[in-house]
Amino acid sequence: MKLARFTVDGHTRLGKVKGDQIVDISAAVPEIGNSMRLLLEQLDTVRDAIEAIAAPSWPLSSVTLDAPIADPRKFLAIGMNYQSHVDEAAAAGVTAPQTQIWFNKQVTCINGPFGDVDVPKAGPDRVDYEAEMGVVIGKRCRHVSREDARSVIAGYVVCNDVTARDWQFRSPTFTLGKSFDTHGPIGPWITTDDEIADPHALTITLELNGEERQRASTGEMIYDIYDQIAYLSQVMTLEPGDLIATGTPAGVGIAGDRFMKAGDVVRVAVEGLGAIENRFVNEA
């Protein structure tokens, strides 16, 4: 399934995408409102009921697609996880990590798949893009083996790990530079794991104003998705709705000294998952 949050007639609802239509599935889980996180907590129980619902529905073109998860408890991201990105960073004097390198994006950065992204008024003039595939956790888990990691995945989203580079490099944790409001566009929906034969065989691309800037296969990750889940779950309990951004390939703006300005439009697509497209605007 493709699970979404959408707004129509002033009301935000949970839905499933079928072709060019979106079906309201709220009747299957009336007690949870429009929280995708709460839906994922009981998805195994209500999946059949959701699949059976056929109406009401609307054309996708007539609704606003919102961030599929508005309230995750965690938004974690791995750095330097494509060799091509490691190589371009090394050319700028950045040392390649010897282990998985993780940072937080604060969850208030979450943005919709087509929402405007701020060029902040707090001073950043080096706002950058990073095309990434996102993993959505579906089961509460700890100490997950690599072999069992796929069993805790609910599905996948398209991400743009927008980064304020000047703020990023002020702190070794990266958190501030990764967490400005609106700097976490995700979507356009959650494609459930059963729809993807191999999450490590998908093409990921990014276009800036229609010009392709990034292209890679998710199979080029240094640490694949299952390694990431096994590593993280040694430290913390992963919960339904938690987001993991799995790394970006070469072609980020900082490598070419090209940073975002108001009016720029960035489109990120992942094969089988759809695409998100966001316009950069000066923060009001």
Side-chain angles (χ1 to χ4, degrees):
M1 288 188 293
K2 293 180 173 63
L3 299 172
R5 292 176 65 253
F6 69 102
T7 298
V8 64
D9 299 329
H11 297 284
T12 301
R13 313 163 189 256
L14 294 174
K16 64 176 181 180
V17 176
K18 300 287 289 186
D20 62 357
Q21 300 283 309
I22 189 163
V23 181
D24 185 350
I25 60 172
S26 302
V29 280
E31 71 282 2
I32 67 170
N34 59 34
S35 173
M36 183 67 73
R37 176 174 57 81
L38 295 179
L39 173 61
L40 294 177
E41 289 179 357
Q42 54 182 296
L43 184 58
D44 288 347
T45 303
V46 301
R47 181 184 289 268
D48 289 346
I50 290 173
E51 290 179 342
I53 293 175
S57 68
W58 293 265
L60 273 172
S61 59
S62 70
V63 308
T64 298
L65 286 173
D66 302 302
I69 302 176
D71 58 348
R73 292 189 174 98
K74 305 179 198 66
F75 192 171
L76 303 163
I78 190 170
M80 309 281 279
N81 196 37
Y82 282 73
Q83 189 60 50
S84 61
H85 185 42
V86 170
D87 292 344
E88 73 178 356
V94 178
T95 303
Q98 300 303 306
T99 62
Q100 296 186 36
I101 300 297
W102 287 92
F103 55 86
N104 290 302
K105 288 179 75 73
Q106 297 300 308
V107 296
T108 46
C109 79
I110 296 286
N111 195 355
F114 304 105
D116 289 343
V117 174
D118 288 343
V119 177
K121 61 183 179 182
D125 57 3
R126 292 160 63 84
V127 178
D128 205 348
Y129 56 76
E130 292 188 9
E132 309 205 12
M133 178 172 73
V135 173
V136 183
I137 297 296
K139 292 181 170 61
R140 192 172 191 271
C141 57
R142 179 86 194 280
H143 294 300
V144 182
S145 69
R146 187 188 190 289
E147 292 71 27
D148 291 336
R150 189 162 190 177
S151 70
V152 306
I153 296 173
Y156 310 93
V157 293
V158 182
C159 295
N160 186 351
D161 176 18
V162 180
T163 305
R165 296 293 185 194
D166 37 4
W167 282 75
Q168 176 189 4
F169 296 132
R170 292 178 188 178
S171 168
T173 67
F174 291 1
T175 299
L176 292 182
K178 295 286 189 175
S179 297
F180 277 83
D181 286 358
T182 74
H183 284 196
I186 58 171
W189 40 69
I190 299 171
T191 301
T192 54
D193 178 67
D194 58 294
E195 289 206 7
I196 303 299
D198 182 358
H200 301 111
L202 308 178
T203 300
I204 182 169
T205 59
L206 180 144
E207 295 178 358
L208 170 60
N209 300 329
E211 177 187 354
E212 186 172 284
R213 291 298 185 98
Q214 292 185 282
R215 174 176 289 270
S217 166
T218 54
E220 297 172 38
M221 293 181 196
I222 297 170
Y223 301 102
D224 71 17
I225 294 166
Y226 311 140
D227 289 330
Q228 294 175 44
I229 291 172
Y231 193 80
L232 287 170
S233 68
Q234 293 179 70
V235 177
M236 67 191 75
T237 299
L238 299 176
E239 301 169 293
D242 285 354
L243 293 168
I244 298 174
T246 58
T248 195
V252 295
I254 193 172
D257 199 34
R258 170 60 163 94
F259 297 103
M260 300 301 94
K261 60 184 185 298
D264 285 337
V265 176
V266 174
R267 182 179 190 273
V268 183
V270 180
E271 181 183 0
L273 307 185
I276 64 176
E277 184 171 296
N278 305 91
R279 180 177 298 276
F280 284 73
V281 299
N282 289 325
E283 182 182 4

